[in-house]
Amino acid sequence: MTAPSTSTPTLRIRKAAVLGAGVMGAQIAAHLTNAGVETVLFDLPAKDGPKSGIALKAIANLAKLSPAPLADKDLASAIIPANYDEDMGHLKDVDLVIEAIAERMDWKLDLYRKIAPHVSPTAVLASNTSGLSINGLAEALPEEMRHRFCGVHFFNPPRYMHLVEVIPTRLTDPKVVEGLETFLVTTVGKGVVIAKDTPNFIGNRIGVFSMLATMHHTEQFGLGFDVVDALTGPAVGRPKSATYRTADVVGLDTMAHVIKTMADTLPDDPWHAYFKAPAWLSALIGKGALGQKNGAGLYRKAGKDIVVLDVAKQDYRASEQKASDEVAAILAIKNPAEKFAQLRASGDKQAQFLWATFRDLFHYTAYHLADIADTARDVDFAIRWGYGWKLGPFETWQAAGWQQVAQWVQEDIDAGKAMSKAPLPAWVLDGRAGVHGKDGSWSAASSSYKPRSAQPVYARQLFPDPILDEQFDQGSTVWENDGVRLWTLGDDGVGIISFKTKMHTVNDQVLDGIQHAIGIAEEKLKAVVIWQNGEPFSAGADLKGALGLLQAGKFDDFEKMVANFQRTSMRIKHALVPVVSAVRGLALGGGCEFQMHSARTVAALESYIGLVEAGVGLLPAGGGLHELAVRAAKANPADPFESLKKVFETVAMAKVSPSAIEAKNMGLLRDSDVVVFNAYELLYVAKKVALSLADSGYRPPLYQRAIPVAGDVGTATFKASLANLQAGYFASEHDVAIATRIADTLCGGSVERGSLVDEEWLLELERKHFVELAKTEKTQARIAHTMTTGKPLRN
């Protein structure tokens, strides 16, 4: 007899419907489609043309948006356009309905009444509202549907922002919440925070307050918008858009609407007096200057320059986004406690401004924690995942010394310097070291520390996003050198190879380390996963070391390095245990080649993969071109040229895939490779794939001795297309020289079409062309320029 299962019931989502084809609705539909969920996009019936014209137009518009909502633009055709007059029948067989119409309670309630008779009796219904009452919305539903209803708040843009807030009502079935959370985390790839049903929930409640406090203190200290953006961006661990550029991107009208929502729905908030749009914001909206969407807001372009609004002059001036020397020096201090002490003590008004904004943010967040969130962890994750901060407000406070900062905040409240006289909660001043510790994170509502969720879905995250000072099992080292570490996590027999270099670049220690680690794995382990604890997977070869050899004229050593690169790729490919590459972020050049030679690649959706060597005047020589030629021969033995057309353009133009799905279309990933939507699940899935290969009797591919190639006819055909590019000034002479060598390698060199060659022949061609290009003055100039500026040189 087996014990009953205690795991979360699976919420199977085969088909979904999104109601509302506006900016958010269309992009949510796009991302569900990315995730392989058949999705119907509804909107009102069009007055002219096809009845589903509004939805059709929204789907067509997805291809124009940047950043791209679709991981593959061809997925747009999979979204089903619909309207409420003709297509309600779709609702009978959908498993999830997400309503994403305008933030009007009356409109939403009317729509719920309209759809209720048509929705499947088992479907989950969710409202993508940014702040309306979820319990209030539930009241419009028939009683039998209320237990399957909740809020689900995606952040914009839905494909890229990690945060989704799930907001249960008083009646929502906990199993529905658990099932939806599991679906959002694994299938859709999101970081879920369970929020309480309070206005603006967690992310926008704290994030918008932070912006309001910043706006208040901008005026109080007489600072320019550009200076404030210099102070509140990367200098304090926040995105480059900082405060006012973010307002322009979001839309100044949207910003004003969110502020008004706070004012209307939070009349008793002790900070209510500050929930109003500044005069300059109302004035800009009155002039129709709404931010980035119509070309002018707080910032606008003037020719090639960016100008910023000067409120005093009522006109734009040149932007001088720079902190004072004193504040720049303070912000460069590594120790957070020392940094905050100096900010508070400084007489520089920029330092006083920064202290004031942090003080009021800490005060507000602590005061409201019990009302808005279950734990401090939920607040910090909501702000990190929804607003892109490196540390949430509680993490920042704790890192700076909880009690010292709390004392300073209290002193400022007592002195009337803070925005509100509201008292700090007693728990803040009880002598604690912070809100995050070994027992979990502080819950002010229950006066206890709560550990992370024990839901089964989170067991898939072997290294979840850590909260401040959180440590996870780092596994057991099997072997290491200066380049790599071979280690195990648990006793499943899977070894993990991680690089130690900056940006996980590839040097001799990495190359030798991989080869040695695979040798150990063949003796002691079942399988190997190449995985990095953080992005990127690999930025490719160490250009500094390569350029040093070239400039010193050590061409023999340079050629040996290239041969060692190829040897490593082939060692990966022909290992007696399966080697699986777990890719996320950039996988460029040699990083791309390593995953190409793996038995299987498991790639996070947001993987940007490319053979980019042409950009620095070289060609891929870690076996990448050899592997593409082998794959083309397998795909089309009678005429490999057909399969080479697309990959030639990809390599010659140094294209990088905009997603893992697109990397399959570009020929850089195989159809059998696995795409994972949640990057924190990557290692878990890669280990499972590696074990599955090992347990099914994996054997490496046999060495290929008879590879049909496109030959000199194929190379000549590619050269003809290059001549047209050069004639139209789309390619320089050196670009054409590089691309010609790429073509020659892919096509197997100066042999007849259909000739049979072996793998070593192709590898030798790669090496020959690579070394000959590397000796040229123009290629060395390209490498040096890229290393210095980070940008490619066209010469």
Side-chain angles (χ1 to χ4, degrees), residues 404-603:
Q404 178 62 80
V405 171
Q407 187 182 324
W408 290 334
V409 173
Q410 187 62 58
E411 286 172 9
D412 281 11
I413 295 170
D414 294 342
K417 293 180 181 177
M419 287 170 68
S420 169
K421 293 179 180 177
L424 279 172
W427 59 264
V428 171
L429 300 160
D430 65 3
R432 68 181 56 241
V435 289
H436 303 299
K438 61 179 177 14
D439 296 323
S441 296
W442 179 250
S443 169
S446 64
S447 296
S448 65
Y449 283 88
K450 292 190 175 182
R452 281 177 174 265
S453 168
Q455 266 206 61
V457 68
Y458 294 110
R460 296 168 60 88
Q461 298 186 16
L462 303 180
F463 289 89
D465 196 357
I467 208 77
L468 184 73
D469 295 333
E470 195 172 14
Q471 297 295 320
F472 304 109
D473 181 1
Q474 297 300 304
S476 303
T477 300
V478 178
W479 176 85
E480 62 185 324
N481 69 353
D482 289 341
V484 307
R485 176 186 179 225
L486 171 66
W487 54 289
T488 55
L489 189 66
D491 57 1
D492 56 9
V494 178
I496 303 162
I497 295 175
S498 300
F499 301 177
K500 296 180 178 182
T501 48
K502 187 178 180 182
M503 294 287 284
H504 305 132
T505 51
V506 181
N507 58 20
D508 284 334
Q509 287 82 16
V510 171
L511 295 171
D512 294 343
I514 291 172
Q515 293 175 53
H516 189 74
I518 288 173
I520 293 172
E522 288 174 332
E523 290 178 21
K524 299 180 178 179
L525 299 166
K526 288 184 179 181
V528 171
V529 170
I530 303 176
W531 177 83
Q532 321 294 3
N533 193 358
E535 295 182 12
F537 175 72
S538 174
D542 172 19
L543 287 177
K544 186 178 179 183
L547 186 61
L549 291 174
L550 292 173
Q551 290 175 334
K554 295 182 178 178
F555 297 115
D556 288 347
D557 289 344
F558 183 78
E559 189 162 1
K560 284 176 188 172
M561 184 194 75
V562 179
N564 198 24
F565 222 122
Q566 292 183 336
R567 208 161 34 246
T568 306
S569 290
M570 297 302 280
R571 189 76 180 91
I572 290 169
K573 182 172 183 175
H574 295 289
L576 292 172
V577 293
V579 179
V580 171
S581 287
V583 173
R584 57 178 160 169
L586 296 173
L588 304 179
C592 176
E593 288 171 303
F594 287 163
Q595 67 81 24
M596 288 174 71
H597 287 83
S598 301
R600 195 79 83 246
T601 296
V602 178

Side-chain angles (χ1 to χ4, degrees), residues 525-764:
L525 299 166
K526 288 184 179 181
V528 171
V529 170
I530 303 176
W531 177 83
Q532 321 294 3
N533 193 358
E535 295 182 12
F537 175 72
S538 174
D542 172 19
L543 287 177
K544 186 178 179 183
L547 186 61
L549 291 174
L550 292 173
Q551 290 175 334
K554 295 182 178 178
F555 297 115
D556 288 347
D557 289 344
F558 183 78
E559 189 162 1
K560 284 176 188 172
M561 184 194 75
V562 179
N564 198 24
F565 222 122
Q566 292 183 336
R567 208 161 34 246
T568 306
S569 290
M570 297 302 280
R571 189 76 180 91
I572 290 169
K573 182 172 183 175
H574 295 289
L576 292 172
V577 293
V579 179
V580 171
S581 287
V583 173
R584 57 178 160 169
L586 296 173
L588 304 179
C592 176
E593 288 171 303
F594 287 163
Q595 67 81 24
M596 288 174 71
H597 287 83
S598 301
R600 195 79 83 246
T601 296
V602 178
L605 176 69
E606 301 308 335
S607 293
Y608 311 113
I609 302 170
L611 294 168
V612 295
E613 288 84 352
V616 290
L618 294 165
L619 51 72
L625 296 181
H626 138 275
E627 182 64 18
L628 290 173
V630 170
R631 291 182 188 182
K634 277 187 182 175
N636 198 340
D639 186 8
F641 184 79
E642 283 304 307
S643 297
L644 289 174
K645 287 178 184 174
K646 186 164 59 178
V647 292
F648 169 70
E649 184 180 312
T650 295
V651 179
M653 296 181 71
K655 288 184 178 180
V656 176
S657 73
S659 73
I661 293 173
E662 198 68 64
K664 289 192 175 189
N665 299 336
M666 292 166 66
L668 299 172
L669 289 180
R670 296 155 292 199
D671 287 342
S672 58
D673 291 330
V674 178
V675 177
V676 171
F677 272 61
N678 194 319
Y680 294 108
E681 296 184 352
L682 187 65
L683 181 57
Y684 173 89
V685 176
K687 289 182 81 181
K688 292 290 186 190
V689 169
L691 275 174
S692 172
L693 288 169
D695 291 343
S696 59
Y698 175 82
R699 293 292 300 174
L702 293 171
Y703 180 83
Q704 299 294 300
R705 291 182 167 80
I707 304 161
V709 292
D712 48 14
V713 174
T715 304
T717 309
F718 282 135
K719 281 179 76 173
S721 64
L722 292 170
N724 293 334
L725 284 173
Q726 190 175 0
Y729 300 101
F730 294 111
S732 70
E733 185 180 347
H734 197 51
D735 290 332
V736 171
I738 297 160
T740 300
R741 290 176 185 271
I742 290 169
D744 188 64
T745 309
L746 286 171
C747 295
S750 299
V751 295
E752 289 186 11
R753 180 179 184 173
S755 295
L756 300 178
V757 303
D758 62 14
E759 292 192 59
E760 186 51 43
W761 172 273
L762 293 169
L763 291 168
E764 280 181 12

